[in-house]
Amino acid sequence: MKIRTALAAGAAAVAVALGSVVAVAAAGGEEAAPAPAVPAADSADAGFARDMAVHHQQAVEMSFLIRDSTGDEEIRTLAYDIANTQANQRGMMLGWLDLWGLPKVSEEAPMAWMGMRHKPGKDGALMPGMATKAELERLRKTEGEAAEILYLRLMTAHHKGGVHMAEGCVSACEVEVEQRLAQGMVDAQRSEIDLMAELLRKRGVHD
């Protein structure tokens, strides 16, 4: 709850910083100072916001799929937390793009802002860690413990890709609140990777 509150506060802070004009002491009728410059369309800040919004959307989709495929409360709680957190973060990143007046899609290849120019896979895996269309369809059709194991494996890979991207933003992004959000993703998703490894071990999976 504290993390979510902090993220919400961060979104409000960046909205003020990017969308408002700061008044300078007006005794002498001085003009207001201009708002800080917004990131360029090809900046790390814009690229991370665009790419991670897409990456997060798949995590939300997978989490809703497993929620409907299992009655296990630990898995359902994990899936709810991931879906809720990543949907909120996705909304923040898309909101920043709106505030900056930048497009939500780009002709640049995914990960170009990291210097990677990732080539999307043939089956819909747009970025590192993302599941293919076939894997999503398999998750959609699987139930019970088999679905839990598949979800945990897919989400672990997804988180590892997300951590890599978020670390790139921590290093290259210039908007402070976005850097803080990215670092929060790194910390939270590493913790969830550890949790998912433990949940897999409970199900006899040790890889």
Side-chain angles (χ1 to χ4, degrees):
M1 185 63 71
K2 290 182 179 179
I3 292 176
R4 294 172 188 163
T5 301
L7 293 178
V14 79
V16 172
L18 298 175
S20 64
V21 174
V22 180
V24 179
E30 299 177 45
E31 293 184 1
V38 301
D42 61 353
S43 66
D45 298 273
F48 175 74
R50 280 192 295 261
D51 285 353
M52 191 58 89
V54 173
H55 207 268
H56 272 21
Q57 180 58 34
Q58 189 182 78
V60 173
E61 179 183 0
M62 289 195 294
S63 296
F64 280 131
L65 287 175
I66 192 61
R67 183 198 64 178
D68 296 336
S69 300
T70 181
D72 185 274
E73 285 305 314
E74 281 186 305
I75 298 293
R76 287 175 64 88
T77 298
L78 172 66
Y80 173 82
D81 287 344
I82 290 174
N84 188 56
T85 298
Q86 296 208 13
N88 287 339
Q89 290 174 344
R90 181 174 185 273
M92 289 172 63
M93 291 181 287
L94 294 177
W96 290 339
L97 291 169
D98 280 338
L99 284 169
W100 297 333
L102 299 177
K104 296 183 178 69
V105 295
S106 172
E107 294 182 358
E108 287 279 0
M111 314 296 290
W113 58 276
M114 285 185 70
M116 293 178 61
R117 296 186 178 276
H118 181 75
K119 294 182 180 180
K122 294 181 180 179
D123 195 21
L126 299 177
M127 281 167 271
M130 290 187 71
T132 65
K133 292 177 182 177
E135 288 170 332
L136 289 175
E137 185 61 22
R138 183 180 165 200
L139 180 60
R140 189 173 286 110
K141 294 179 177 179
T142 308
E143 296 182 352
E145 185 174 83
E148 296 163 12
I149 291 171
L150 178 58
Y151 171 77
L152 292 169
R153 283 175 160 166
L154 292 177
M155 191 58 73
T156 295
H158 201 275
H159 270 19
K160 288 179 178 178
V163 166
H164 177 61
M165 292 170 64
E167 287 175 332
C169 179
V170 172
S171 297
C173 290
E174 296 184 358
V175 176
E176 184 178 353
V177 71
E178 190 174 16
Q179 287 180 315
R180 291 201 302 270
L181 176 64
Q183 184 61 58
M185 291 179 187
V186 171
D187 297 340
Q189 291 190 29
R190 281 178 174 167
S191 177
E192 287 173 346
I193 288 170
D194 291 341
L195 172 60
M196 290 189 287
E198 178 60 29
L199 291 174
L200 281 168
R201 283 191 291 270
K202 287 184 177 180
R203 289 159 177 78
V205 179
H206 299 279
D207 59 359

